[in-house]
Amino acid sequence: MEGALDRLAAAFINPRFAPECIDREVNAVDSEYKGLQQDDEMYLQQLKKVLTSNKHPYSRFFAGNLQTLKEAAQNLNLNLHEQVAKLYQKYYSADIMNLVVAGNYSMDQLIEWTE
């Protein structure tokens, strides 16, 4: 677990926003989205969203795909790499985030690993 916490911390301390990493992640999200299209539970959730008032946040689109992530950015002349970096700068900050760690270790050990 200590190694996993170190890797998680590194992702926040020095994030990699290399264009090829972003493209790979967009493709992974698209693949997950395509897989969910055959899922009955996801279909019911989407149906609930359609029936919800468009003024309520629940009605918003909740999953990305290649079209909504990459092609839409290109159509709007937005650089996806720059947009990801802006999102990171705005929302990935210790003062607005919480970390929860659970494991089969003593509380003292978990605290030590997170400090």
Side-chain angles (χ1 to χ4, degrees), residues 19-63:
E20 62 273 8
C21 292
I22 292 172
D23 286 342
R24 187 172 53 242
E25 189 62 27
V26 166
N27 288 326
V29 169
D30 185 60
S31 179
E32 290 173 15
Y33 177 76
K34 287 176 181 173
L36 290 174
Q37 288 181 322
Q38 304 302 318
D39 183 69
D40 289 341
E41 289 295 321
M42 189 58 62
Y43 178 78
L44 290 173
Q45 184 175 4
Q46 189 61 33
L47 181 60
K48 290 177 191 175
K49 288 179 165 298
V50 169
L51 296 173
T52 301
S53 167
N54 64 355
K55 295 178 183 176
H56 194 280
Y58 184 76
S59 69
R60 295 181 189 153
F61 191 69
F62 68 99

Side-chain angles (χ1 to χ4, degrees), residues 34-100:
K34 287 176 181 173
L36 290 174
Q37 288 181 322
Q38 304 302 318
D39 183 69
D40 289 341
E41 289 295 321
M42 189 58 62
Y43 178 78
L44 290 173
Q45 184 175 4
Q46 189 61 33
L47 181 60
K48 290 177 191 175
K49 288 179 165 298
V50 169
L51 296 173
T52 301
S53 167
N54 64 355
K55 295 178 183 176
H56 194 280
Y58 184 76
S59 69
R60 295 181 189 153
F61 191 69
F62 68 99
N65 59 34
L66 192 62
Q67 182 181 8
T68 62
L69 295 171
K70 191 170 186 175
E71 294 171 13
Q74 291 171 342
N75 291 340
L76 295 169
N77 292 322
L78 296 173
N79 180 305
L80 191 56
H81 179 266
E82 289 175 7
Q83 295 303 309
V84 169
K86 285 180 184 178
L87 182 98
Y88 176 84
Q89 292 296 324
K90 184 173 182 178
Y91 294 108
Y92 283 69
S93 177
D95 63 329
I96 58 174
M97 298 177 87
N98 293 301
L99 173 67
V100 176

